């Protein structure tokens, strides 16, 4: 018999359950990356909404070459407003406060909606709930860009669009975390979710690049194209998302499917014998959905335990107050409030800061800001690995927060020394700022949502996730708003505010 090709041997070396888990991992990664992809354009377009004119020494209004180039292209005429310094109503001297109000509208609606979203999401099919949210989010993201093509200059239009978009986007996080928590257990959760949580940075990077491609010529497309991508991913969600392993007849414990098992041919490769002491140990419910066996614990069919919640309605969904009583929920929620304040201030204001400090055009500033998210990818993975090895989530968060505060101070000083210094500080700050944020919103939330005090009630996961992320979103709403209010007095004051927030997160 001829030897099987290497590619086929690789495919059949994994069990059916493992392939499904890999598929869910990738699908949920792409789904939530598209959410963040649609949030990034507003930060890129800010510089264009108020970027045309510069004050000259004689008091007259002049135009940069970047703006002249944009003006030369066929564009929609702005109304007569006396200054012609951008897109009305963001062409006035208080443009920073107006842009900050847009951020606050989105994030405040997101924070309020998140508390309700987890409770609603537990009582509806995740796939349908998430599909609705993605289609609605795509529509309202695109609607913001429609204002460019129809010459809409009403501040109320853009605020209402942001508010509704913030509400519908709350369907995403509780849904994807609950789905991932159904498929993956506590073992190696920090590493698995640290890698998975890089969807935030990947989405931000893609959103920056896509929005930056059209920002100087047709900023409306900077919103319409991401909106179309989110809506398309919503269709994929409806067609392919599997909410729970039992829906596809997968085992609750991957360890029961040994690596050598070939589902089609029904044969086993040589197995490692199970030690007597391992067979006699009671199973850990938290380990039932572990991605892969760690090589020390071989599965045994007699060790499969079906939790009541997995059996379909064995336990009712937890109440809001019941979720608050879980040890650690309040503490980590408050910690995330301050950590997310810092992260989202960078998310919404970093491109404009780079434009002002390094004197780059809007497109280049947007591209450069993606380095903060690149650092965030490594920071999230590093936080997950460290927390798995130490088995101490809080200590890992505390260490990174302790290092983040002085790094932010250095960022405000060193980034003014040139482009190379800015690049280095973007990577380092991104890792230290995003690490604790990523760990709390993923591994910590999943740990608390499957806490031993719940006695296997996995229905609590969406509510706990929503409470933690909803509280964090309060900080996410305050950060950009405060940045808009403080930045006119100088960017140094914004960084002092961010350092104070990091210190508060560390104290909590």
């Amino acid at each position: 018999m001829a030897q099987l090709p290497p590619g086929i041997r690789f495919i059949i070396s994994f069990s059916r359950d493992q392939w499904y888990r890999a598929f869910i991992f990738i699908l949920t990664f792409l789904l939530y990356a598209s959410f963040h992809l649609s949030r990034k354009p507003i930060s890129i377009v800010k510089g264009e909404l108020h970027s045309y004119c510069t004050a000259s020494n004689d008091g007259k209004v002049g135009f940069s070459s970047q703006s002249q180039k944009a003006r030369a292209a066929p564009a929609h005429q702005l109304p007569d407003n006396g200054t012609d310094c951008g897109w009305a109503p963001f062409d006035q001297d208080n443009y920073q406060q107006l842009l900050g109000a847009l951020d606050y509208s989105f994030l405040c609606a997101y924070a309020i909606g998140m508390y309700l979203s987890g409770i609603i999401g537990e009582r509806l099919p995740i796939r349908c709930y998430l599909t609705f949210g993605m289609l609605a989010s795509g529509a309202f993201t695109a609607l913001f860009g429609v204002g460019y093509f129809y010459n809409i200059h009403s501040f109320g239009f853009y605020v209402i669009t942001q508010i509704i978009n913030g509400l519908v986007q709350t369907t995403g996080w509780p849904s994807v975390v609950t789905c991932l928590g159904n498929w993956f257990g506590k073992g190696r959760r920090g590493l698995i979710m640290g890698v998975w949580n890089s969807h935030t940075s990947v989405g931000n990077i893609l959103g920056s690049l896509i929005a930056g491609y059209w920002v100087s010529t047709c900023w409306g497309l900077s919103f319409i194209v991401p909106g179309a991508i989110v809506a398309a991913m919503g269709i994929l969600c409806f067609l392919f998302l599997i909410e729970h392993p039992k829906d596809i007849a997968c085992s609750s414990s991957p360890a029961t499917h040994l690596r050598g098992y070939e589902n089609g041919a029904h044969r086993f490769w040589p197995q490692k014998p199970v030690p007597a002491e391992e067979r006699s140990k009671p199973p850990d419910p938290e380990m039932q959905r572990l991605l892969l066996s760690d090589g020390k614990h071989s599965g045994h069919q007699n060790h499969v335990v079906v939790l009541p919640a997995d059996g379909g309605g064995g336990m009712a969904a937890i109440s809001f107050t019941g979720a608050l009583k879980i040890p650690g929920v309040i503490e980590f929620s408050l910690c995330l409030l301050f950590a997310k304040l810092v992260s989202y201030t960078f998310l919404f204001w970093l491109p404009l800061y780079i434009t002002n400090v390094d004197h780059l055009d809007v497109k280049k500033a947007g591209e450069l800001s993606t380095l903060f998210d690149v650092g965030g990818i490594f920071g999230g993975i590093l936080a997950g690995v460290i927390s798995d090895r130490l088995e101490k989530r809080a200590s890992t968060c505390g260490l990174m927060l302790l290092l983040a505060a002085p790094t932010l101070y250095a960022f405000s000083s060193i980034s003014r020394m040139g482009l190379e210094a800015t690049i280095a500080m973007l990577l380092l700050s991104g890792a230290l700022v995003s690490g604790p944020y990523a760990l709390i919103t993923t591994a910590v939330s999943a740990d608390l949502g499957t806490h031993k005090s719940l006695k296997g009630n996995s229905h609590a996961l969406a509510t706990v996730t929503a409470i933690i992320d909803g509280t964090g979103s309060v900080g996410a709403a305050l950060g950009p708003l405060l940045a808009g209010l403080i930045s006119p007095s100088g960017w140094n004051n914004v960084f002092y505010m961010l350092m104070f927030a990091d210190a508060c997160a560390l104290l909590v």
Side-chain angles (χ1 to χ4, degrees), residues 114-124 317-320 462-463 466:
M114 184 61 73
Y115 289 110
L116 301 175
S117 182
I119 298 174
I120 296 173
E122 285 184 354
R123 292 157 175 81
L124 295 176
I318 194 171
S319 65
F320 184 87
T463 299

Side-chain angles (χ1 to χ4, degrees), residues 45 48-49 52 69-79 86-88 90 141-154 157-158 161 214-224:
V45 174
E48 186 68 16
L49 294 178
Y52 293 144
K69 183 178 179 180
R71 294 286 190 174
H76 295 259
Q77 297 297 319
L78 299 174
W87 186 269
F90 307 104
T141 299
L143 186 62
F144 195 102
V146 169
Y148 172 86
F149 293 98
Y150 285 89
N151 283 309
I152 299 175
H153 300 282
S154 169
F157 168 82
Y158 296 106
T161 301
W214 284 288
V215 65
S216 298
T217 55
C218 182
W219 63 259
L221 290 176
S222 297
F223 291 91
I224 291 176

Side-chain angles (χ1 to χ4, degrees), residues 109 293 388 461:
S293 175
D388 277 347
L461 184 53

Side-chain angles (χ1 to χ4, degrees), residues 477-497:
L478 291 175
L481 176 66
L482 292 175
L485 296 174
I486 297 174
S487 56
S489 64
W491 286 105
N492 282 338
N493 293 329
V494 175
F495 280 95
Y496 293 145
M497 180 266 292

